Amino acid sequence: MKVYETQYLRNIGIIGHGSCGKTTLTEAMAFDAGLVDRIGKVEEGSTISDYDPEEIKRKISISTSLVPLQFRKHKLNLLDIPGYFDFIGEMITSFRIIDNAVIVIDAVSGMEVGTEKACSFVKDHKVPSIIFINKMDRENADFKNILKELTDFFGNIIVPFEIPMKNQQGFEGTINVLDMKGQERKAEKCIDVEISEDIKREIQFYRQIIMEAVAQTSEELLEKYLDGKKLTNEEFYNGLRNSIIEGELIPVICGSAILNIGIETLINMLIDFFPSPKDVKPINVINQEKVKKYYDTSEPFSAFVFKTIADPYVGKLSIFKVMSGSLTPNKEIYNITQQKKEKFNHIYLLKGKKQIEVEELNAGDIGAVLKLQYTATGDTLCDPENSMIFKAINFPEPTMSQAIFPKAKGDEDKLGIALQRLKEEDPTFKVSRNLETKETLLLGLGEVHFEVIRGHLQNKFGVEVELKDPKIPYRETIKGKAKAEGKYKKQSGGRGQYGHVFLKIEPIENKEEKEFEFVDKVVGGAVPKQFIPAVEKGLRECIKEGVLARYPVMGVQFTLYDGSFHSVDSDEISFKRAASLAYKKGMQQANPILLEPIYYVEIIVPENYMGEIIGDLNKKRGKVLGMDPVERKQKIIAEVPLAEMIRYTTELRAMTQDRGKFTMNFIRYQEVPDYLSQKIIDETKKGMKSI
């Protein structure tokens, strides 16, 4: 593939709800550009974009794929971005480097929650966009209703540039509002056809909206338009392009990706009316005051790494966008984020899973490099003599956790290495070790996310794993008081062992501030001073396991008030064991209870879901503390036991169609209700026996 100057580049994100046809649209665009000789099918696993075994198996996009097209002397870098909610990190990274977006909408389903999220990303990032209403060949396709939904969301900047052309058999092509011509599908091709006067009158309204939008791009054009003068082709073209780039107009076109209808129109519009990297607003360089970086080949080299692919055979692949200057192979580059030097031996373009070697990349283009030693997603690469750094990527915090275990004994180290490699590829999941429950925890964005990670561990690294709900870190404490004696005496022929203590055991009033308290009230030397630290040490070891279900103990005060010793046989070990005996007796007599972790939860949902969410929190033994309006939605504040929140990511998604989100933080421990306590104790003991 040849080297392209910046003005001939288009970096385009294909976005929308899952299964709306983004990957098929990418295939159709690749076909029209001559990149492939047939349109691949998601169902057959034959598309350029969905090449990962997990994508082929699930028939959904999991990772952003790059497909470069050459069309009319231009290069279009298409990014097929997953629409499924568990892979929102792919959308976040892609929006750091795309200059344009194609929002794909299913003509039957209309504005789904994934569409709303895509549209919100476009709004928030101010990315010039075009909307492609796909699957117009389907029964019950409703173009007009979708147009209304889009107008409700975006306002009057939504303008149809195409409307569907139908006959008695249904959808047969499209009508271009600008040139007032139809495109009809005939024998695998779309040909221009004339349209009736009735249709011309119908679309005149839309033409008028486009003309007014163009005229308002400058005072000169507006004055000319109001005077009834006709705009020249050049004035119209420049005005239309400016209005799209400035986000003052979002074109809507329609078609069918699977039938290749409306695709060429889409490509032509992206080339004619949408910005190259040279046209977009400059990027702030965060380590230099008041410095903005334009996509300019005359500037020193800089690049932003927005994605990493972990390939166990080829090696780590870092995918980047050239932010300024140009890049050639065999060059030493400085990673300013890690403050390390890296060597670029070869530069590649990506076509799905295929790597195409190139000799140069200019500002605004997207490329890849293999086996960088220190570089990670979000890092800035630059010329060693002209250091600059771009803002890192903020990924969403994980909302769900699972305990992960290797199925094969001895695979623990192998699993650790594999997870570390996958984290380079997917920064939206985390790994932690719970020392208390002795579990390795995988923290991610949902059940499908976990299943995909499991699949990648097996397919890429040969590690089979099991996922389970994590253990709840319960605690034990006491509600009553008790006194207990512990006497440890052992004679075995030679020197014996002797330790004898009396303990008073009682609850600490503020358990959160003091988990353990030891008080020495021995008088008269009943227990020699040199052995008192051994008693305390023995008790500290004991509270690691309670008497109900061996959970750690908190909020208990132990007072040593009496005891006895032997001048020869007493030693530290004897008094530690005596303390242990007293601990077990006293804890059983002091009304032991089970405590559970309580979390402070904030849930943000649209108002129409409030009743269902609050009802569900009540079922979860939650306590609703209040509600506040936020982000045109409602925030519910509650306290909920952790045991009830293990799968809340999935549950909230189901209740709100993924329109809700939540955060949670530990606040305290609280007594488990009696009707649940024994059940938890029995299940814990049963689990211990099975180990």
Side-chain angles (χ1 to χ4, degrees):
M1 190 173 278
K2 70 176 188 177
V3 178
Y4 283 84
E5 294 179 19
T6 306
Q7 63 266 34
Y8 295 109
L9 298 171
R10 301 289 185 273
N11 297 311
I12 303 153
I14 313 293
I15 60 176
H17 190 80
S19 301
C20 67
K22 299 182 296 298
T23 298
T24 306
L25 176 62
T26 304
E27 285 289 309
M29 293 173 77
F31 176 79
D32 277 11
L35 189 66
V36 294
D37 55 12
R38 64 183 288 268
I39 298 175
K41 294 183 178 178
V42 172
E43 297 76 17
E44 297 173 356
S46 58
T47 64
I48 306 168
S49 303
D50 291 352
Y51 57 84
D52 185 278
E54 287 296 310
E55 292 178 314
I56 294 169
K57 172 186 169 184
R58 299 174 185 279
K59 297 178 175 55
I60 60 170
S61 296
I62 288 168
S63 180
T64 299
S65 289
L66 274 158
V67 180
L69 310 182
Q70 297 177 100
F71 198 91
R72 283 177 44 200
K73 299 181 182 180
H74 289 72
K75 180 185 175 192
L76 285 70
N77 289 315
L78 302 184
L79 282 78
D80 181 10
I81 303 170
Y84 200 81
F85 313 128
D86 285 27
F87 311 109
I88 192 69
E90 297 291 323
M91 181 90 87
I92 292 168
T93 56
S94 298
F95 263 78
R96 286 297 302 273
I97 57 96
I98 63 172
D99 307 313
N100 310 288
V102 177
I103 303 170
V104 186
I105 300 180
D106 186 316
V108 177
S109 303
M111 287 280 284
E112 301 171 272
V113 62
T115 320
E116 292 175 11
K117 286 181 181 291
C119 292
S120 294
F121 264 85
V122 162
K123 267 187 172 181
D124 294 343
H125 292 80
K126 296 180 172 59
V127 175
S129 304
I130 185 168
I131 292 166
F132 183 78
I133 301 178
N134 190 28
K135 304 184 184 181
M136 284 300 305
D137 55 304
R138 297 281 183 92
E139 193 177 349
N140 299 322
D142 194 339
F143 180 83
K144 287 186 177 179
N145 184 58
I146 295 170
L147 208 58
K148 182 182 180 302
E149 290 179 327
L150 286 167
T151 304
D152 289 343
F153 189 93
F154 283 105
N156 292 329
I157 61 173
I158 291 292
V159 180
F161 278 55
E162 277 186 336
I163 63 171
M165 182 165 62
K166 296 183 178 182
N167 59 20
Q168 291 180 343
Q169 284 72 44
F171 179 70
E172 61 174 342
T174 60
I175 298 167
N176 190 303
V177 172
L178 287 178
D179 61 21
M180 297 185 114
K181 285 185 179 179
Q183 271 215 330
E184 187 178 341
R185 182 177 169 82
K186 293 284 186 184
E188 305 299 319
K189 289 185 179 180
C190 288
I191 59 170
D192 288 345
V193 295
E194 293 298 322
I195 59 173
S196 68
E197 291 300 320
D198 289 343
I199 294 176
K200 285 181 180 179
R201 281 192 292 273
E202 182 184 336
I203 64 176
Q204 192 62 42
F205 169 73
Y206 299 127
R207 279 178 60 84
Q208 196 71 21
I209 293 174
I210 296 171
M211 292 295 181
E212 288 177 5
V214 170
Q216 290 175 21
T217 57
S218 76
E219 290 184 10
E220 185 182 339
L221 290 183
L222 183 59
E223 187 177 337
K224 189 174 181 180
Y225 176 75
L226 293 175
D227 288 342
K229 295 176 183 177
K230 190 176 180 181
L231 305 183
T232 66
N233 287 339
E234 186 180 357
E235 288 172 334
F236 178 79
Y237 169 85
N238 290 333
L240 180 55
R241 192 167 188 269
N242 289 336
S243 62
I244 290 173
I245 290 173
E246 293 299 322
E248 296 165 357
L249 190 149
I250 298 178
V252 179
I253 63 174
C254 61
S256 167
I258 198 70
L259 296 179
N260 197 17
I261 298 175
I263 309 305
E264 194 168 329
T265 301
L266 173 62
I267 298 174
N268 282 319
M269 287 193 68
L270 287 166
I271 290 172
D272 291 338
F273 300 116
F274 282 76
S276 73
K278 214 171 185 69
D279 303 311
V280 300
K281 292 176 182 176
I283 308 101
N284 289 318
V285 181
I286 64 173
N287 65 327
Q288 298 176 20
E289 288 186 14
K290 298 180 181 178
V291 172
K292 293 180 182 292
K293 207 67 186 166
Y294 290 88
Y295 292 97
D296 190 340
T297 51
S298 65
E299 292 283 329
F301 168 77
S302 67
F304 182 76
V305 179
F306 69 95
K307 185 172 174 60
T308 303
I309 296 176
D311 192 310
Y313 305 107
V314 177
K316 184 170 73 172
L317 193 66
S318 301
I319 309 172
F320 58 88
K321 183 180 186 183
V322 181
M323 308 299 279
S324 63
S326 59
L327 179 65
T328 53
N330 302 311
K331 201 170 185 179
E332 191 175 76
I333 300 299
Y334 185 56
N335 183 328
I336 189 169
T337 311
Q338 307 295 338
Q339 297 188 346
K340 298 282 186 179
K341 289 181 179 179
E342 296 274 27
K343 182 68 183 271
F344 273 52
N345 292 319
H346 302 277
I347 309 168
Y348 301 96
L349 299 179
L350 294 184
K351 174 191 162 186
K353 66 179 177 181
K354 293 182 180 178
Q355 297 151 26
I356 304 164
E357 191 167 356
V358 291
E359 291 303 313
E360 187 177 3
L361 288 176
N362 283 322
D365 213 341
I366 297 171
V369 62
L370 276 168
K371 299 179 181 178
L372 294 186
Q373 192 173 355
Y374 308 105
T375 299
T377 298
D379 285 358
T380 298
L381 306 171
C382 60
D383 189 299
E385 302 300 319
N386 291 277
S387 62
M388 64 189 72
I389 188 167
F390 300 104
K391 186 180 177 183
I393 301 170
N394 290 322
F395 290 101
E397 285 297 313
T399 55
M400 188 173 175
S401 62
Q402 290 278 275
I404 184 169
F405 309 89
K407 285 187 177 180
K409 287 185 178 179
D411 267 2
E412 287 80 9
D413 289 343
K414 194 176 175 183
L415 173 60
I417 293 167
L419 284 171
Q420 189 59 43
R421 293 289 302 279
L422 284 181
K423 277 177 66 183
E424 293 176 350
E425 186 175 276
D426 179 7
T428 61
F429 82 85
K430 295 180 180 179
V431 181
S432 68
R433 180 72 179 170
N434 189 320
L435 297 176
E436 181 180 323
T437 62
K438 298 178 176 61
E439 290 179 325
T440 298
L441 297 181
L442 196 61
L443 296 91
L445 299 177
E447 290 184 30
V448 176
H449 193 196
F450 290 132
E451 288 302 318
V452 166
I453 293 169
R454 191 217 299 255
H456 283 159
L457 287 169
Q458 183 172 345
N459 296 330
K460 290 188 174 187
F461 301 97
V463 183
E464 287 193 62
V465 298
E466 187 177 0
L467 296 171
K468 294 180 180 178
D469 285 345
K471 293 175 184 175
I472 303 298
Y474 292 106
R475 293 283 188 272
E476 295 182 27
T477 191
I478 54 172
K479 292 178 78 173
K481 299 179 180 181
K483 289 185 177 181
E485 176 187 10
K487 190 172 188 178
Y488 182 75
K489 184 177 181 181
K490 189 175 180 183
Q491 292 294 137
S492 57
R495 180 183 170 181
Q497 288 181 302
Y498 184 89
H500 185 206
V501 298
F502 287 92
L503 294 177
K504 183 164 73 172
I505 301 172
E506 55 193 326
I508 298 173
E509 212 167 288
N510 195 330
K511 293 178 175 61
E512 279 71 29
E513 287 184 13
K514 287 189 177 180
E515 292 192 348
F516 170 88
E517 195 171 76
F518 177 77
V519 180
D520 172 17
K521 284 197 175 179
V522 175
V523 293
V527 177
K529 286 188 177 181
Q530 67 266 31
F531 297 135
I532 290 174
V535 175
E536 181 178 356
K537 188 176 180 181
L539 290 170
R540 285 192 182 276
E541 289 177 3
C542 285
I543 64 169
K544 291 176 182 177
E545 291 188 357
V547 295
L548 291 175
R550 294 170 61 180
Y551 289 110
V553 171
M554 63 182 291
V556 180
Q557 183 187 83
F558 299 91
T559 302
L560 175 65
Y561 65 91
D562 203 356
S564 65
F565 71 100
H566 189 280
S567 58
V568 176
D569 293 347
S570 288
D571 57 15
E572 288 186 2
I573 293 174
S574 301
F575 274 95
K576 278 179 69 176
R577 289 176 178 168
S580 175
L581 294 171
Y583 166 82
K584 289 174 183 175
K585 289 179 191 174
M587 289 292 291
Q588 291 282 9
Q589 297 166 12
N591 191 10
I593 59 169
L594 205 61
L595 301 175
E596 64 180 338
I598 303 297
Y599 274 65
Y600 176 85
V601 181
E602 289 187 353
I603 308 163
I604 297 175
V605 294
E607 194 161 350
N608 54 313
Y609 295 108
M610 290 277 287
E612 188 176 358
I613 299 300
I614 291 172
D616 181 67
L617 288 173
N618 290 332
K619 290 177 187 174
K620 293 183 183 300
R621 302 184 285 124
K623 180 183 178 184
V624 177
L625 303 178
M627 288 162 277
D628 291 315
V630 61
E631 299 175 6
R632 300 187 302 277
K633 296 180 181 180
Q634 286 288 332
K635 178 167 71 176
I636 302 168
I637 302 165
E639 292 178 357
V640 192
L642 175 62
E644 304 286 352
M645 297 294 289
I646 294 296
R647 292 190 173 268
Y648 196 63
T649 298
T650 304
E651 294 166 2
L652 183 64
R653 184 171 291 168
M655 285 187 287
T656 66
Q657 298 177 309
D658 202 47
R659 289 181 171 88
K661 60 182 180 180
F662 76 102
T663 57
M664 51 187 276
N665 295 289
F666 170 77
I667 48 171
R668 67 175 183 279
Y669 274 90
Q670 184 172 290
E671 183 178 353
V672 177
D674 290 341
Y675 70 93
L676 282 176
S677 183
Q678 193 56 50
K679 182 183 175 184
I680 293 166
I681 293 167
D682 292 343
E683 286 177 354
T684 304
K685 287 180 177 178
K686 185 180 176 182
M688 289 174 184
K689 287 178 184 178
S690 65
I691 295 174

